[in-house]
Amino acid sequence: DVFPPGAGGEVDVLFVIECSESMADDQQSLAQNFESFIQWAAFTDTDFHLGVIGAAGLEVPGQTGTPPREVLPGVLVEVPGRPKILTPETPDLAAAFADLVRLGDGCSPIEAGLEAAWLALKEPRLSDPSLNAGFLRADAGLYLVIVSDEPDQSSGPVDFYLDTFRALKGGRGPMRVSAICADTPPDGRYAEAVTDSAGVLAPITALDWSQTLQELGLQSFSPIREIPLSRPAQPGSLVVSLDGLIVPEATSPDGPDGFSYRPDSAT
């Protein structure tokens, strides 16, 4: 496996937001605490893409938010005067994010966050210039953040969606699913996806979202310390080099004096 210079400096974050009747306050909480999340991107000089989709699966929602917009399954939300893919160069970034995430409450009652993300990250939507083209980058980390107060109603097994998201990266960047949801204690499908991908799980009922958004930002924009391999390796056979110099194996797991290999996750 070869990782190009700067791998880990690019991050693509897809927010999957429920927009049924009960979500207006939660969307506002997300918008108001954006700075707690994005501050870490500036601190680490991360090249990010941020996009937003509704959490509806195959149901077709036609509705308005603030400002008015149409939300289609698996399609990046677009607001007049704002880009649908936010980057470090986006003017008035916090206000643009707030406009995107305040989807309103007119979406389908069938909430399927995992399926919505799958729809957004598969063809033909992924490469369609009028839909999602340009969001996903080959060497960027992929972070999905699901915000929902309802259980996931996606039609497929959780493993199917996680395997699909991991395959998009092909070992060229990390993939994490995080959720601000009702799956706490962890016994729901969102919680399963978060646990299996080592993401962040937080209760949507929290009165203060700043700590949750800070934790999400720390995970999304921290320097990459784990690199997923394209397939499991034989322990003891690994040779790691950086800029042509051999990196020794650490004297203790996760030690600071070299690399460590985790067979359970092939990282």
Side-chain angles (χ1 to χ4, degrees):
D1 287 332
V2 178
F3 301 91
E10 295 182 347
V11 171
D12 300 332
V13 185
L14 183 64
F15 283 84
V16 184
I17 301 174
E18 183 186 335
C19 45
S20 58
E21 285 187 20
S22 58
M23 285 293 296
D25 289 344
D26 298 311
Q27 294 167 16
Q28 186 65 20
S29 293
L30 182 61
Q32 289 176 340
N33 289 280
F34 176 68
E35 185 58 37
S36 296
F37 171 76
I38 206 63
Q39 63 178 326
W40 300 107
F43 182 74
T44 58
D45 196 25
T46 300
D47 178 9
F48 61 82
H49 281 183
L50 299 183
V52 176
I53 62 172
L58 295 177
E59 298 286 320
V60 179
Q63 54 89 59
T64 59
T66 307
R69 92 291 306 276
E70 186 177 35
V71 180
L72 299 175
V75 175
L76 291 174
V77 171
E78 193 166 9
V79 174
R82 304 290 193 191
K84 59 185 174 182
I85 300 173
L86 307 183
T87 72
E89 288 73 42
T90 299
D92 204 1
L93 180 61
F97 180 80
D99 285 346
L100 290 183
V101 301
R102 291 184 299 195
L103 301 183
D105 57 6
C107 287
S108 164
I110 306 300
E111 300 302 339
L114 293 173
E115 185 166 304
W118 173 70
L119 289 173
L121 297 173
K122 69 188 289 286
E123 302 298 350
R125 292 172 177 83
L126 184 60
S127 300
D128 190 325
S130 67
L131 301 178
N132 302 341
F135 171 75
L136 189 70
R137 296 169 292 178
D139 294 320
L142 176 60
Y143 292 82
L144 308 177
V145 180
I146 299 170
V147 183
S148 176
D149 64 0
E150 296 290 341
D152 179 58
Q153 300 174 58
S154 302
S155 58
V158 171
D159 286 347
F160 164 77
Y161 298 109
L162 294 182
D163 289 346
T164 301
F165 301 148
R166 290 187 179 109
L168 287 169
K169 293 290 87 191
R172 293 167 298 181
M175 190 289 296
R176 301 281 187 270
V177 176
S178 295
I180 303 173
C181 65
D183 284 352
T184 50
D187 57 1
R189 288 168 56 89
Y190 288 141
E192 179 183 346
V194 170
T195 300
D196 290 354
S197 65
V200 174
L201 182 67
I204 198 168
T205 53
L207 297 178
D208 183 359
W209 284 34
S210 60
Q211 183 173 347
T212 295
L213 269 292
Q214 178 169 306
E215 187 176 356
L216 286 169
L218 279 169
Q219 183 177 87
S220 301
F221 304 125
S222 290
I224 300 302
R225 298 182 67 246
E226 294 184 11
I227 299 175
L229 303 182
S230 59
R231 61 183 183 273
Q234 180 67 39
S237 72
L238 282 168
V239 177
V240 178
S241 65
L242 177 65
D243 294 333
L245 300 177
I246 299 298
V247 178
E249 186 168 2
T251 55
S252 61
D254 297 324
D257 55 343
F259 77 88
S260 298
Y261 176 59
R262 297 179 178 177
D264 57 338
S265 59
T267 57

